[in-house]
Amino acid sequence: MKRNERLARHTSFKIGGPAQLWFEPVDILDLRRLVVATYKKEIPLRVIGMGSNILVDDRGIQGIVIRLNSSYFKRITVPNSSLTYDMKQRDSCIINVGAGLSVNRLLRYAQSKGLSGLESLAGIPGTVGGVLVMNAGDVGDKVLHITVMDKQGRIKTIKRRQAGFGYRESKLDYYIILNVDFQLSRWDSRMIQKKIDRFLEYRRKTQDLYWPSAGCFFKNPSITKRRINTKHRSTSMSLGSAAYFIERCGLKGSFVGDAAVSLKHANFIINKGRASFSDVLKLKDCITKCVEGKFNLRLEPEVRIWR
Ligand SMILES: Cc1cc2nc3c(=O)[nH]c(=O)nc-3n(C[C@H](O)[C@H](O)[C@H](O)COP(=O)(O)OP(=O)(O)OC[C@H]3O[C@@H](n4cnc5c(N)ncnc54)[C@H](O)[C@@H]3O)c2cc1C
């Protein structure tokens, strides 16, 4: 437990004031003790993964920020039930993964064991908990069960269909995700590596990985909301993506303070040095207004804003 831990140190944006309290539990019991105490005292509680999809207020955060950073929350195990299951369905395997594990390490494990299904996560700088909440790379498709703790310290198991996975969203926000059972398919390790390499290459080519950011700032608008004039077609951006609309507004390279719209990917707001929370918010508002004015379309942030 630490006081006034600067969250800029824990976010990929490198922006954010202090968390009143920062807590890294050793195991579930340790976590439960804190959760029960904070519930009774009505202290606000949030969970952070790698902080790669969060924009934090420079004034800081009241309450407690929890990071599942101990080895306990980073374990990978193969449940016994998986062996029984395998007898019926030899091509698949269930693994149980701690929510604090990084996606990178999970992928290395899966590849080495010849387990396929998570390759679309390659290059996403998150933890297992973070990718589940955001349903990054449509990871929800591979989920069987999720074990969570609610804000009163009760442990529950949630099935995939109860988790409400959608485009960059889920209904897992209310919980602290502890671990998850993924159902993966057996495949050749070299083929899995090739698939991972393709995703990495694609992200390297298309994303701005030079400056601090939180990845894509806005969600891509849903198809039904799109009203695209065909004369705005661009070859570099997928039609109808948030980046497409931002680029067509001529906003690439525009900035407020040190927050700028990336020249490489128009949906990346980057921190070119000392961007503040309000620089990013002002730029976000400006983008939202421009796109709404030109395309009659309201972009919704994908990035979680903590204040
Ligand atoms: C350079 C870059 C590239 C990116 N590319 C992609 C991409 O290609 N595709 C994509 O989908 N995303 C991408 N992202 C966004 C981001 O990496 C993902 O959204 C990722 O899933 C966030 O994981 P995290 O662990 O960092 O979560 P955080 O950003 O720390 O948290 C995100 C949300 O999850 C919650 N959360 C985290 N852990 C838990 C837990 N254990 N229990 C309950 N809630 C939890 C937090 O409270 C918060 O609401 C990119 C980001 C960057 C910086």
Side-chain angles (χ1 to χ4, degrees):
M1 178 89 81
K2 288 183 195 168
R3 274 179 196 281
N4 296 324
E5 176 71 1
R6 263 188 70 233
L7 292 179
R9 290 186 56 216
H10 301 280
T11 60
S12 56
F13 240 140
K14 307 280 176 240
I15 295 173
Q20 200 179 8
L21 285 173
W22 173 270
F23 181 57
E24 295 187 7
V26 176
D27 55 20
I28 289 189
L29 282 180
D30 199 20
L31 176 65
R32 192 170 178 278
R33 266 196 297 271
L34 177 101
V35 170
V36 170
T38 53
Y39 180 72
K40 281 185 187 151
K41 294 186 175 168
E42 296 184 9
I43 298 172
L45 189 150
R46 303 176 202 238
V47 191
I48 193 168
M50 278 193 187
S52 62
N53 210 39
I54 299 176
L55 172 64
V56 183
D57 196 323
D58 290 329
R59 289 170 300 183
I61 297 296
Q62 289 297 308
I64 301 186
V65 175
I66 294 174
R67 169 111 199 247
L68 304 180
N69 203 24
S70 72
S71 54
Y72 180 90
F73 292 105
K74 295 180 181 176
R75 293 187 303 191
I76 302 180
T77 50
V78 181
N80 284 340
S81 59
S82 183
L83 301 175
T84 329
Y85 191 83
D86 264 0
M87 304 287 276
K88 290 181 231 154
Q89 203 169 334
R90 286 179 184 280
D91 292 344
S92 74
C93 177
I94 298 166
I95 57 171
N96 181 274
V97 185
L101 190 75
S102 74
V103 163
N104 188 14
R105 278 183 58 192
L106 170 60
L107 278 180
R108 266 192 279 150
Y109 172 89
Q111 188 275 339
S112 70
K113 301 286 179 198
L115 298 174
S116 170
L118 299 170
E119 296 86 289
S120 62
L121 295 177
I124 297 180
T127 58
V128 169
V131 295
L132 286 171
V133 169
M134 302 305 304
N135 193 21
D138 292 327
V139 69
D141 293 350
K142 299 295 161 194
V143 166
L144 267 188
H145 307 108
I146 306 168
T147 308
V148 297
M149 185 180 285
D150 70 15
K151 300 272 161 87
Q152 298 176 49
R154 293 175 302 206
I155 292 177
K156 292 183 181 178
T157 302
I158 294 179
K159 290 184 186 150
R160 175 179 47 210
R161 63 187 153 73
Q162 297 167 320
F165 289 117
Y167 167 62
R168 297 290 182 270
E169 64 176 24
S170 70
K171 289 186 180 144
L172 297 167
D173 274 281
Y174 176 74
Y175 302 106
I176 301 172
I177 301 171
L178 302 172
N179 58 64
V180 54
D181 282 347
F182 286 120
Q183 187 177 347
L184 305 177
S185 320
R186 296 193 188 281
W187 203 28
D188 185 291
S189 282
R190 282 164 307 179
M191 299 305 285
I192 296 175
Q193 188 57 53
K194 275 193 181 162
K195 213 171 157 190
I196 289 176
D197 290 343
R198 275 204 298 276
F199 277 103
L200 287 175
E201 182 57 21
Y202 174 75
R203 290 203 163 96
R204 251 182 246 129
K205 259 194 196 155
T206 55
Q207 297 187 340
D208 189 334
L209 303 177
Y210 184 78
W211 299 102
S213 76
C216 285
F217 198 93
F218 297 96
K219 292 183 180 182
N220 289 325
S222 78
I223 286 207
T224 49
K225 285 186 200 156
R226 289 178 200 163
R227 290 180 199 162
I228 311 158
N229 183 335
T230 42
K231 81 173 184 229
H232 293 306
R233 254 175 223 277
S234 145
T235 46
S236 60
M237 284 294 121
S238 49
L239 189 67
S241 67
Y244 168 87
F245 294 109
I246 299 167
E247 190 172 341
R248 298 318 303 172
C249 286
L251 290 171
K252 267 189 165 179
S254 55
F255 59 90
V256 175
D258 267 353
V261 176
S262 164
L263 290 170
K264 186 164 177 187
H265 192 311
N267 195 12
F268 271 48
I269 295 184
I270 52 175
N271 176 1
K272 293 190 89 171
R274 311 183 102 193
S276 65
F277 177 71
S278 75
D279 289 343
V280 177
L281 283 193
K282 280 181 197 154
L283 188 57
K284 168 207 151 241
D285 289 345
C286 167
I287 296 169
T288 313
K289 263 192 206 143
C290 285
V291 171
E292 195 163 20
K294 191 165 174 126
F295 295 102
N296 189 22
L297 186 90
R298 189 149 185 93
L299 293 179
E300 297 297 335
E302 175 183 324
V303 169
R304 305 286 172 107
I305 298 174
W306 283 14
R307 41 173 130 222

